[in-house]
Amino acid sequence: MPAAPTIVWFRRDLRVSDHTALHRAAQSGTPVVPVFIFDPAILGAPETGARRTAFLLEALQSLAANLEHLGAKLLYRRGPPEKELLAVARETGAKKILLNKDVEPYSRKRDEKVARMAKEEGLEIEACDDLMIQSPGKVQRAAGGPYTVFTPYARAALAIPPSDPLPRPAKLTGLSKGKGIPLPELRSLGLAPCDIPVPPAGEKAAQQLLKDFVSKNLRRYEAIRNFPLADGTSRLSPHLRLGTISVRTVLAAARRARADDPSAKKQIDVFISELIWRDFYKQILWEYPHVAEGSFRKEYDRVEWENRKDLFQAWCEGRTGFPIVDAAMRQLNQTGWMHNRLRMIVASFLTKDLLVSWQWGERYFMQQLFDGDLAANNGGWQWAAGTGTDAQPYFRIFNPTSQAERFDPDGKFISRYVPEVDSLKYPAPIVDHARQRVRALAMYKQARG
């Protein structure tokens, strides 16, 4: 009697290389039924934007082609995941569901529903560690409990040997059974068309980006990473967010480069620390899920933000009268990406100059970014606002003028996105930085009691 098929449920892991759940399914020798489910709860969330979804659709096309090459067809379904997976199991005769764990609060609740359904229906389910270098909850303090400060977390995480990336399956045994829908378009998912070009998505594009970064910028990463005009970052964040490349693959490439060129160790180690920051924020979200809804340091939920809509709109549109802030926001609006140094500058400006809640900025970023990731975005915003774990102190307030002088000394990045900066058309600053700094400090002190 032939073995019952295994469902592999793809979510934020849209690749076939170094994919733990797919690897285990392939090793089992059973027919594989790959499934991706368009979840109405995610599609209808206010932070879901057309840009990230357009990138998702491109990545799914790539995944489907890769799976077909291996011998299996990707089924698209739409509806509550527990109901759709049960339907696929009944249609195909599958007896097992394999998936890779997620750390986001909604994802965990969703997966608990699926696990309850599987138990009731007599289906085996296995959740694999795949999302991070070290699995959530693994890196713990010697006295017990999670780290809430990055440096000791990084030290402990780096002391644990990372897993090697898993090979791509040579072949999969597919199955002709199982119903799917055509890959939907944005409009049919209830979203407007994407307003800007979508960057190349999928596994091949991610691998090429990694190759280019290693050959061009990795060995000088620490020296150039803070200068927006240098474009010295990897640009892998949208791919890591959707899992078109695994963080283990990126780490392995960095470690190989470091072994090949010991003189570049300092530069490469700074890049590796950025990968550890990614893990750290996911660990925080796993251990402290309340950060998705409010401040990690709960006393800062008492901050009485002014939340002036006119100031927020000016920030969104890049017309604050502060050139580096406006250039950064226009980069975001025009490209769906923003340099990390600029993310820190505009987040500090929104919260500590305009006195607008970090949660307003967090949501706007999620709607506009191709790489919008709850853990990283939330962690970055709370760091800048001074409300999070291991945060920039509330009394440290970036001066946008000195930041521009330091990281765009010739003004070339600003001129690229704000060509009118030296003309009469450019607006005067909408706030006085020195005055707002005093007001911000008073606002935070009041919340701290």
Side-chain angles (χ1 to χ4, degrees), residues 101-134:
K101 292 178 189 174
D102 201 347
V103 297
E104 296 184 2
Y106 169 74
S107 302
R108 294 169 71 176
K109 292 175 183 176
R110 173 200 61 196
D111 293 353
E112 287 168 4
K113 279 187 182 178
V114 169
R116 286 195 298 269
M117 175 278 293
K119 184 177 181 181
E120 291 168 1
E121 297 294 328
L123 299 172
E124 185 181 353
I125 188 165
E126 182 179 355
C128 307
D129 287 313
D130 183 85
L131 184 65
M132 299 160 58
I133 298 168
Q134 304 296 348

Side-chain angles (χ1 to χ4, degrees), residues 148 281 291 294-303 305 343-344 347-352 356-359 377-398 440-441 443-445 447-448:
T148 58
Y281 281 142
V291 300
S295 301
F296 174 81
R297 301 175 188 269
K298 294 183 180 181
E299 65 268 26
Y300 290 121
D301 286 335
R302 298 193 295 265
V303 173
W305 304 101
R343 297 188 197 205
M344 293 189 282
S348 177
F349 183 81
L350 182 70
T351 55
K352 297 173 181 176
V356 171
S357 170
W358 61 269
Q359 290 171 301
N377 191 47
N378 179 276
W381 271 97
Q382 294 220 40
W383 180 90
T387 64
T389 172
D390 200 17
Q392 173 181 247
Y394 76 91
F395 50 81
R396 184 184 177 202
I397 299 175
F398 281 1
L441 290 174
M443 185 178 71
Y444 278 90
K445 285 179 181 177
R448 287 166 59 87

Side-chain angles (χ1 to χ4, degrees), residues 246-368:
S246 76
V247 68
R248 289 176 301 276
T249 296
V250 179
L251 176 62
R255 285 162 60 92
R256 283 196 301 273
R258 189 176 62 183
D260 292 343
D261 186 1
S263 67
K265 180 181 185 300
K266 179 185 176 184
Q267 304 285 328
I268 296 171
D269 280 351
V270 172
F271 175 72
I272 290 174
S273 77
E274 293 300 308
L275 299 179
I276 303 298
W277 268 108
R278 175 183 180 273
D279 263 25
F280 178 65
Y281 281 142
K282 291 190 182 304
Q283 168 95 343
I284 291 297
L285 187 59
W286 174 268
E287 299 281 4
Y288 304 97
H290 76 271
V291 300
E293 304 294 334
S295 301
F296 174 81
R297 301 175 188 269
K298 294 183 180 181
E299 65 268 26
Y300 290 121
D301 286 335
R302 298 193 295 265
V303 173
E304 295 182 3
W305 304 101
E306 292 190 358
N307 286 344
R308 279 182 52 180
K309 292 182 179 178
D310 58 333
L311 298 183
F312 177 66
Q313 195 62 32
W315 177 85
C316 291
E317 295 173 5
R319 48 178 184 82
T320 67
F322 289 83
I324 193 68
V325 173
D326 292 345
M329 295 306 295
R330 294 185 197 185
Q331 181 185 49
L332 170 64
N333 293 335
Q334 294 171 25
T335 71
W337 185 81
M338 187 191 290
H339 188 280
N340 190 59
R341 168 56 56 174
L342 301 178
R343 297 188 197 205
M344 293 189 282
I345 293 171
V346 302
S348 177
F349 183 81
L350 182 70
T351 55
K352 297 173 181 176
D353 283 76
L354 302 187
L355 311 184
V356 171
S357 170
W358 61 269
Q359 290 171 301
W360 287 31
E362 178 195 28
R363 177 173 292 183
Y364 188 75
F365 268 30
M366 288 295 283
Q367 292 167 337
Q368 301 299 320

Side-chain angles (χ1 to χ4, degrees), residues 163-176:
S163 301
D164 292 328
L166 297 165
R168 171 189 298 236
K171 186 179 180 182
L172 298 173
T173 303
L175 202 68
S176 58

Side-chain angles (χ1 to χ4, degrees), residues 3 22 32 67 94 152 168 174 246 252 313 359 381 412 414 422 449:
L22 183 65
V32 176
L67 286 167
R168 171 189 298 236
S246 76
Q313 195 62 32
Q359 290 171 301
W381 271 97
K412 291 182 179 178
I414 289 171
D422 294 322

Side-chain angles (χ1 to χ4, degrees), residues 180-250:
I181 62 171
L183 182 66
E185 298 179 349
L186 285 171
R187 194 177 302 277
S188 67
L189 294 174
L191 296 167
C194 188
D195 58 341
I196 57 174
V198 181
E203 199 165 348
K204 184 177 180 181
Q207 293 282 356
Q208 187 60 51
L209 272 178
L210 176 60
K211 182 180 178 181
D212 292 345
F213 174 65
V214 169
S215 65
K216 296 175 184 176
N217 287 331
L218 176 60
R219 291 171 178 81
R220 56 184 191 136
Y221 179 77
E222 195 270 340
I224 65 174
R225 67 180 179 129
N226 276 308
F227 297 89
L229 196 69
D231 197 21
T233 60
S234 71
R235 295 292 187 116
L236 283 166
S237 52
H239 295 277
L240 287 168
R241 187 238 158 209
L242 274 186
T244 50
I245 195 168
S246 76
V247 68
R248 289 176 301 276
T249 296
V250 179

Side-chain angles (χ1 to χ4, degrees), residues 34-52:
V35 177
F36 182 87
I37 301 169
F38 291 92
D39 186 342
I42 294 176
L43 292 170
E47 65 272 13
T48 296
R51 294 177 177 183
R52 278 187 298 136

